[in-house]
Amino acid sequence: MPRASELFRCPARSADDLSGLVALCRSGLALESVRAIWCKTDGTGLGNDYSRAYADTAIRSFLAEGLGCTPAEAAKRVQIVVSGGSEGIVSPHLLVLAETEGSAPSSEVGLVSGSDRQPFAKAKTGTQAHANFTADMVRRAATQAGLDRASSSAFVMVKSPAQPGSSLAAIKARAAVAAGVGLATGRLSALPTAFDEPFDGPDNVFVVARSDETEQHVVVLGNAAGSSSRQSIASGALADPLDAMGVAHVAAALGFAAAPQLSAAEVRRVVGVIVKGDPPAGTIRGFAHTMEMDPTLPSHRQGRAAYAAMIAAIIGMPAIFVSGGADGHGPAQGGLVAIVAEKLCRRD
């Protein structure tokens, strides 16, 4: 039986602003149905960005109070991913994923989700063992979602452990996890021999790697027949921060006509836009850029702003869940985008 799910977008004016989530609960959303909360904060996204921890603590505390458990137990039940940095026009917000079981099964295809959480040794992160471990988790989560096979997964969000002490450790962890997702979903035919060099990875994954994590948490989204969800999801690769055609291709899979921007009615159908991307090294389509040369603003922050501005101009709204650290995510010099939207034939 497919696990019908829906995504909700809540604006956030500060790292601890959960007013949108509170409003969702007051309107009938049961916290017991929530499977993931993805938060885009207004911090810097750097190593000393304490808005991430602040937001994480606020979310855990809210869930714990509502679920009658400890904050640590709440974080085991709900995947919490906090991404710092809302550069440029990016609007801070929360994306709340909840199961909607109880509705009558549909003959249509709709959004489903599944998850898996397992401990993994930090010493083995960033290795082929880590990639294979991830692939097994994705397969289990896809089965739980009700997808007929892992290759039907349209998008996978992973919160992974990483070895402490260096940025390279996080890079290798993200790349290994992304490769494992690619292996499970058929986007990669084989694993790379190493994870510290760029490679073309799958275009349906978003990985965060944290040295304070001891477990890996995987959430799989896809579209399945029989789901009663009013939403669906599509994802795809972006060659670089100028790849408007890549965004339009993903939007078209959801019935949108980006010509060149979604209409006001279409914008209202968009629920979540999730992006991974880093600036290409040195040049973009043969033109030099300076994103790697500014000592006052790290390149990944400028990359987030560039990707978000391009995508927001097409989608027509700035609540873009965008992150750097796209190691093994999509083309080696590019990234990826996933969009969740209300279906054209929405049933009220």
Side-chain angles (χ1 to χ4, degrees):
M1 184 71 177
R3 302 185 76 163
S5 301
E6 292 195 6
L7 194 69
F8 303 88
R9 186 178 69 243
C10 305
R13 294 188 176 276
S14 62
D16 64 339
D17 181 6
L18 302 182
S19 59
L21 180 56
V22 171
L24 275 178
C25 293
R26 288 176 176 170
S27 67
L29 178 71
L31 278 182
E32 291 79 8
S33 70
V34 174
R35 296 294 172 260
I37 297 178
W38 304 326
C39 174
K40 190 67 190 169
T41 76
D42 54 0
T44 64
L46 301 178
N48 62 349
D49 179 5
Y50 300 110
S51 73
R52 285 190 303 221
Y54 190 26
D56 189 272
T57 298
I59 293 169
R60 291 184 188 216
S61 299
F62 177 82
L63 291 172
E65 182 177 357
L67 296 171
C69 62
T70 67
E73 290 169 339
K76 290 181 180 293
R77 294 171 63 171
V78 177
Q79 185 197 59
I80 302 171
V81 173
V82 181
S83 174
S86 294
E87 295 81 13
I89 51 82
V90 176
S91 180
H93 64 287
L94 282 75
L95 295 174
V96 181
L97 177 70
E99 285 189 23
T100 57
E101 293 297 353
S103 302
S106 169
S107 59
E108 303 173 1
V109 172
L111 186 69
V112 296
S113 68
S115 64
D116 192 32
R117 186 180 184 108
Q118 301 290 335
F120 191 75
K122 293 181 185 180
K124 295 182 179 179
T125 57
T127 65
Q128 290 201 333
H130 193 190
N132 285 312
F133 178 84
T134 300
D136 288 339
M137 291 187 71
V138 171
R139 295 182 185 107
R140 287 193 294 269
T143 298
Q144 184 191 89
L147 296 168
D148 56 355
R149 54 191 182 279
S151 59
S152 298
S153 305
F155 181 72
V156 184
M157 178 72 79
V158 185
K159 191 174 186 179
S160 167
Q163 294 187 52
S166 74
S167 59
L168 179 59
I171 289 172
K172 292 174 67 175
R174 288 192 296 265
V177 169
V181 171
L183 190 65
T185 60
R187 309 293 176 99
L188 291 181
S189 58
L191 295 176
T193 57
F195 299 113
D196 53 358
E197 295 291 337
F199 64 92
D200 290 339
D203 57 9
N204 62 343
V205 60
F206 186 113
V207 185
V208 295
R210 304 281 190 254
S211 60
D212 57 348
E213 293 291 330
T214 58
E215 294 183 311
Q216 182 157 291
H217 200 164
V218 169
V219 171
V220 167
L221 299 180
N223 302 308
S227 169
S228 59
S229 176
R230 299 171 297 177
Q231 301 174 350
S232 57
I233 185 171
S235 62
L238 299 178
D240 55 39
L242 296 177
D243 192 5
M245 291 299 294
V247 181
H249 178 75
V250 174
L254 297 168
F256 293 118
Q261 187 179 88
L262 272 60
S263 68
E266 288 177 317
V267 172
R268 288 193 290 271
R269 286 179 49 213
V270 177
V271 180
V273 181
I274 304 170
V275 183
K276 266 282 191 180
D278 293 316
T283 63
I284 298 178
R285 303 191 182 187
F287 291 84
H289 67 78
T290 63
M291 285 186 277
E292 298 166 312
M293 299 169 60
D294 185 349
T296 66
L297 188 63
S299 62
H300 66 271
R301 297 194 67 191
Q302 298 188 58
R304 286 197 296 258
Y307 272 100
M310 181 271 291
I311 294 169
I314 297 168
I315 299 299
M317 67 94 186
I320 310 294
F321 193 91
V322 59
S323 175
D327 312 287
H329 297 61
Q333 294 294 313
L336 58 93
V337 61
I339 302 173
V340 176
E342 302 284 353
K343 294 187 292 188
L344 280 169
C345 52
R346 173 174 175 171
R347 299 181 304 280
D348 294 317

